[in-house]
Amino acid sequence: MCGTEKAALVNKCSLTSTAKENGSTRTTLSSDAVINLDQISMLANSGDPMMFESYWREMGDKCTFEIPGCQSLSYFANKNNLCWFLEPELEEEIKRLHRVVGNAAVEDHHVVVGTGSTQLIQAALYALSPPDESEPTSVVSAAPYYSVSESIYTFPEWDARAFDKDGPYIEFVTSPSNPDGSIREAIVKKGQGKVVHDLAYYWPQYTPITCCAHFDVMLFTASKCTGHAGSRIGWALVKDKDVARKMTKFIEISTIGVSKEAQLRSAKIMGVISDSCLHPNSNNFFEYCQRLMAERWGKLKEVVGRSKIFTLPEYPPEYCLFTGEFSEAHPAFAWMKCNKNTEDFEKFLRAQKVLARSGRRFGSDPKFVRVSMLSREEEFEIFLHRHEPILLVVWSALAVCALEPPCGCVPV
C-alpha cells in the first residue's frame, strides 16, 4: 500500500477532543475510525516516539536553555576535532550517558554526529565501501530486517543467512532487532566483510543491558533514546579513525554539518537523563519508561492471549547490568503473527480499519505485522479499550472467513 493511500485512509479517521478538568484533552474516536498501529502517516519511517511525552511534561523546564543570537554562527564547533561540526557539549554528554547506562564503550571510539541515524547509515556505507571495486559492494542483513533500509536504500541486496558471494560486503546488524526485538549478531563472518551495528534500541526501556557493546561501528539515535525524534540527532561510535573521517566527510558533503541548536538541545536533554539516573531522589528516566513499556506489553499480551489465533515473541528474563535485576525485553514494536490461513495479515487488518506494517516489508512472511508500541498513552488506550478490543474483532472476522473470505484471506 503506497504512502498516499495510507495517508488518505488515515485522514478518514474522525477525531474529537474534549477538555478535561486539568486543562488537558481527551481524544475520542468515532465508531468508524481507522486504528493506526503502523504510525506511518506521511512518513517513510514509523515509530513516532510520543510515549516519552508524559515524562518530559513532568520534567517541566529542566531542559529549557537559551541560545544568544551571537552563538553558533560558525560552521565549525571544534576545528581540532575529527568531526569538526560536533559540539563539545554533545560529545561530552553522549559519552557520559553511555558510561552511566553501560551499553556501549566510548573510550577508544570517535564520536560522529549526524542528522538522525538515517544519515549515519548512508555515511557508514560511504565510508566502508571499497573505492576501487568494479562492482557495487554487497549489503546484507538478516530477515526480518529494518524495513526502511529496503525502501530508501534498495538494500539489503541479500538476506545474510543466504549470502554466499565472494568479495567485500557490508552487513547491517540491528540489535535489538527492528521489528521483532530479538538480540542479533553478525551472521556472514567472512574475511572481506565489514559490520555496522545499529543499536538504536539498546537502551534499558526496551531490553536488558547484558553487556557493554564494543563494536567497530555503532549507531544510535536520540529519537529512540530520549524520544526527541524532531531534533534529528544521531551519533556513531567509530573505532577506526579513517572510517570516522570518511563518515564525517560524507556528512560535510551532504549537509555541511549538523544543526548546532539541535546538538545543544540534545546535550541538555542527555544531561538531564544522566542526572536522573545518578541522583537517588530523581525520577529515573529509564526506569520510568521501562515501567510504561512493561505496562503496555502486559495489556497487549492479555488481549492477544484472549484471541487464541495471534502470537507474540517470547522474551526470556535476562540480568540487566543497568538495573541490577532480571527483566524481560519490552521492544518498541510488537511482531505479531496470525496463525490462521490468512495470506496477507496487513491486507486483512486494513479491511478491518487497522493499519499495521506487513512482514513482507521486512523481508519476512506476510503472516506477520509490526505494531508500534510508542504512541501517546491516549492512543494506546483507545486501541485497547475505548474501541472494541480490535484484535478480538479481527478474530471474530477471521472466523467468518470460513463462510465468505475477504481480500487476502484463505478459508479456515
Side-chain angles (χ1 to χ4, degrees):
M1 185 178 191
C2 70
T4 53
E5 289 174 332
K6 284 197 174 184
L9 189 55
V10 171
N11 290 336
K12 292 180 181 179
C13 182
S14 175
L15 299 175
T16 59
S17 295
T18 42
K20 288 183 177 179
E21 292 181 0
N22 62 6
S24 62
T25 58
R26 179 179 67 251
T27 303
T28 59
L29 290 173
S30 66
S31 59
D32 63 344
V34 173
I35 305 296
N36 186 0
L37 304 182
D38 185 12
Q39 294 189 304
I40 191 167
S41 188
M42 297 297 290
L43 298 176
N45 202 352
S46 64
D48 201 22
M50 295 305 298
M51 180 199 77
F52 298 89
E53 185 179 42
S54 60
Y55 178 86
W56 294 113
R57 286 190 183 279
E58 291 187 17
M59 290 298 100
D61 61 357
K62 286 187 177 181
C63 294
T64 301
F65 70 105
E66 291 185 1
I67 302 178
C70 61
Q71 185 176 345
S72 301
L73 272 69
S74 174
Y75 286 113
F76 298 93
N78 183 354
K79 293 182 180 180
N80 296 320
N81 195 346
L82 185 150
C83 185
W84 52 265
F85 45 81
L86 170 61
E87 287 288 333
E89 294 94 328
L90 179 60
E91 181 176 20
E92 179 182 344
E93 293 298 345
I94 285 173
K95 291 181 176 180
R96 181 184 180 219
L97 184 59
H98 282 300
R99 291 189 185 106
V100 168
V101 176
N103 63 339
V106 295
E107 279 69 22
D108 57 349
H109 286 71
H110 302 276
V111 179
V112 179
V113 66
T115 305
S117 61
T118 302
Q119 186 181 41
L120 291 167
I121 290 174
Q122 295 173 305
L125 285 173
Y126 170 82
L128 295 174
S129 297
D132 54 354
E133 290 293 320
S134 58
E135 296 182 359
T137 302
S138 298
V139 181
V140 302
S141 187
Y145 46 69
Y146 181 37
S147 64
V148 171
S149 61
E150 181 182 66
S151 59
I152 295 180
Y153 310 116
T154 64
F155 78 82
E157 180 183 347
W158 298 88
D159 183 344
R161 295 185 180 89
F163 182 73
D164 60 358
K165 290 178 63 176
D166 294 326
Y169 68 92
I170 301 171
E171 181 174 359
F172 274 80
V173 178
T174 303
S175 183
S177 170
N178 175 1
D180 66 11
S182 62
I183 299 298
R184 298 284 190 88
E185 61 180 25
I187 290 177
V188 180
K189 299 179 181 178
K190 290 187 177 183
Q192 292 183 269
K194 304 292 184 180
V195 182
V196 177
H197 284 82
D198 183 351
L199 305 181
Y201 301 95
Y202 192 49
W203 297 99
Q205 65 266 47
Y206 305 118
T207 190
I209 303 302
T210 58
C211 68
C212 182
H214 197 277
F215 301 111
D216 291 344
V217 181
M218 299 179 283
L219 307 183
F220 297 88
T221 173
S223 66
K224 300 308 183 289
C225 172
T226 75
H228 293 82
S231 293
R232 307 306 308 128
I233 291 294
W235 66 95
L237 302 178
V238 186
K239 186 179 293 186
D240 185 88
K241 187 175 182 178
D242 288 336
V243 173
R245 183 180 289 110
K246 289 179 181 179
M247 291 180 68
T248 299
K249 187 64 177 179
F250 177 89
I251 296 169
E252 174 189 334
I253 294 170
S254 58
T255 54
I256 321 180
V258 177
S259 166
K260 290 187 176 182
E261 289 79 6
Q263 290 189 60
L264 293 172
R265 182 178 187 232
S266 295
K268 179 68 175 180
I269 290 166
M270 290 180 192
V272 170
I273 292 176
S274 293
D275 289 343
S276 78
C277 298
L278 295 173
H279 300 152
N281 296 326
S282 297
N283 189 2
N284 188 304
F285 170 79
F286 292 113
E287 291 180 358
Y288 178 98
C289 296
Q290 186 185 51
R291 286 195 301 270
L292 281 183
M293 293 301 294
E295 290 171 4
R296 291 189 175 194
W297 270 93
K299 293 175 182 178
L300 180 62
K301 286 179 179 179
E302 182 180 351
V303 173
V304 169
R306 293 200 303 266
S307 74
K308 310 297 183 184
I309 62 171
F310 303 110
T311 56
L312 293 166
E314 295 289 336
Y315 303 103
E318 294 187 271
Y319 185 77
C320 178
L321 298 174
F322 175 75
T323 63
E325 299 175 351
F326 282 89
S327 61
E328 295 181 10
H330 303 104
F333 302 101
W335 187 236
M336 190 180 302
K337 182 181 182 182
C338 180
N339 295 317
K340 291 293 183 180
N341 294 328
T342 181
E343 294 178 351
D344 190 328
F345 195 12
E346 178 195 32
K347 190 174 182 181
F348 181 82
L349 287 175
R350 191 168 71 249
Q352 309 302 317
K353 297 187 177 181
V354 180
L355 301 184
R357 186 171 295 195
S358 172
R360 185 181 289 111
R361 295 279 302 279
F362 303 89
S364 187
D365 195 318
K367 289 180 179 291
F368 288 91
V369 295
R370 191 193 71 171
V371 175
S372 174
M373 301 291 285
L374 299 179
S375 62
R376 283 190 176 95
E377 184 66 20
E378 293 85 355
E379 296 171 6
F380 190 76
E381 290 298 325
I382 287 169
F383 160 56
L384 290 178
H385 302 297
R386 301 279 179 87
H387 232 44
E388 289 184 78
I390 199 70
L391 294 179
L392 298 181
V393 172
V394 174
W395 176 32
S396 300
L398 277 168
V400 176
C401 292
L403 300 176
E404 186 177 350
C407 55
C409 190
V410 176
V412 296

